[in-house]
Amino acid sequence: MSHDDILRAHGEALKLFGTRVHAVRDDQWDAPTPCTEWSVRDLVNHLTAEQLWVPRLVRDGATIADVGSEYDGDRLGDDPAAVWDRAAVAAVAAFAEPGALDRTVQLSYGSSPADAYCAQMMADAVVHAWDLSRAIGAEEKLPGRLATAALREVEPYAAGLNGSGLFAPPIEPPADADDQTRLLCLLGRRP
């Protein structure tokens, strides 16, 4: 994808996830999600913390060691949707700065081009938007272009994700599966 396409998809993915965050009812924050170890609050906290890292890594050139435990623990406080909104806006702005996607960022697994990092963050937001939708009973159909972009992003390294222990084993999708179903099955979800 071009840098413009990556930025557009990332922004759309965060907006999609944000609409789901704003749809969470007060009685749903402790509900389970398809991510078996996470409640709705844990899932939203995970995505929020990921966005909080972006300005530090992309704009500031910080390393994992520089940031340390700054974003560990619950980041959501008493107004999870507002905290998510601020984190998402800051992440989108950091990636959109002139030249930001041409930089190199230091991630937990080493150096990475910032455009690849942005694409990974987009795919993560897309998949977790589905997870959150399922958990709160919201619309599970993902925008087709986002499902396709996330699938194209994840396919090359999906086997490594499965081996990480962070994802359930992949599920064989139906032969006529669309990109959303293929993406979810690849990452161990049961659509």
Side-chain angles (χ1 to χ4, degrees):
M1 290 194 298
S2 73
H3 283 182
D4 286 344
D5 291 339
I6 292 168
L7 289 173
R8 185 172 21 264
H10 177 258
E12 289 174 6
L14 294 191
K15 184 176 179 180
L16 175 66
F17 189 81
T19 63
R20 299 310 188 262
V21 172
H22 282 272
V24 177
R25 295 186 322 260
D26 289 342
D27 65 341
Q28 292 179 311
W29 288 102
D30 291 325
T33 70
C35 305
T36 57
E37 302 296 316
W38 288 343
S39 67
V40 166
R41 186 177 183 90
D42 295 332
L43 176 63
V44 173
N45 188 66
H46 164 71
L47 255 293
T48 301
E50 280 193 343
Q51 305 322 306
L52 292 170
W53 278 87
V54 173
R56 296 293 311 278
L57 298 178
V58 175
R59 185 192 59 224
D60 302 342
T63 66
I64 299 295
D66 293 336
V67 177
S69 61
E70 185 173 341
Y71 302 122
D72 289 357
D74 184 88
R75 308 305 309 163
L76 300 179
D78 294 332
D79 193 351
V83 175
W84 160 259
D85 289 343
R86 286 191 299 274
V89 166
V92 167
F95 277 128
E97 287 180 2
L101 294 186
D102 295 318
R103 297 178 187 146
T104 298
V105 293
Q106 302 304 315
L107 303 176
S108 59
Y109 55 83
S111 297
S112 175
D115 59 352
Y117 175 44
C118 187
Q120 291 167 12
M121 295 287 282
M122 172 276 300
D124 200 43
V126 169
V127 171
H128 286 318
W130 181 86
D131 292 331
L132 187 53
S133 295
R134 168 114 344 150
I136 65 170
E139 172 60 48
E140 293 181 16
K141 181 71 177 156
L142 300 169
R145 68 186 171 281
L146 284 180
T148 298
L151 177 63
R152 300 293 175 266
E153 169 59 27
V154 171
E155 279 179 319
Y157 54 82
L161 293 176
N162 183 40
S164 72
L166 299 174
F167 294 85
I171 298 165
E172 186 66 33
D176 62 345
D178 62 8
D179 284 349
Q180 174 175 326
T181 301
R182 292 176 52 220
L183 171 69
L184 297 172
C185 287
L186 186 64
L187 297 175
R189 270 78 173 169
R190 296 188 180 277

